[in-house]
């Protein structure tokens, strides 16, 4: 199982804060592709190339490998001052 969590604007756009998936995914890219296929709204969210991702609380890339039990978080870029 992969736990997927959404933060900030991503959570608002998708209307949910987390999702548990029983499927296996080789990497973050394959997970993003799977999520984007849910509907047009999800496709728009996951088409954003600035979308950030963390796996098990560590910043990750599309090539980051996934294993069962991982937590994957998606969130928009953050700025502050």
């Amino acid at each position: 199982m992969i736990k997927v969590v959404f933060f900030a604007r991503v959570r608002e756009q998708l209307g949910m804060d987390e999702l548990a998936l029983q499927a296996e995914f080789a990497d973050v890219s394959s997970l993003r592709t799977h999520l984007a296929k849910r509907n047009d709204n999800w496709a728009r969210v996951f088409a954003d190339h600035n979308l950030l991702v963390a796996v098990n609380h560590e910043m990750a890339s599309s090539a980051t490998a996934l294993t069962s039990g991982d937590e994957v978080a998606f969130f928009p870029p953050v700025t502050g001052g």
Side-chain angles (χ1 to χ4, degrees), residues 2-71:
I2 300 285
K3 180 179 178 181
V4 185
V5 293
F6 310 106
F7 292 99
R9 176 178 37 114
V10 177
R11 177 180 56 219
E12 293 166 9
Q13 291 171 318
L14 298 177
M16 66 172 41
D17 57 1
E18 69 180 56
L19 177 67
L21 298 172
Q22 296 297 328
E24 298 281 325
F25 300 96
D27 54 26
V28 170
S29 179
S30 61
L31 173 61
R32 280 181 73 140
T33 299
H34 173 81
L35 293 172
K37 291 179 181 177
R38 291 177 68 107
N39 64 41
D40 289 343
N41 185 48
W42 286 65
R44 278 189 298 278
V45 170
F46 288 98
D48 182 353
H49 297 291
N50 294 318
L51 192 63
L52 299 175
V53 63
V55 176
N56 300 323
H57 307 277
E58 302 265 338
M59 292 303 294
S61 73
S62 338
T64 301
L66 297 177
T67 59
S68 183
D70 283 345
E71 178 184 274

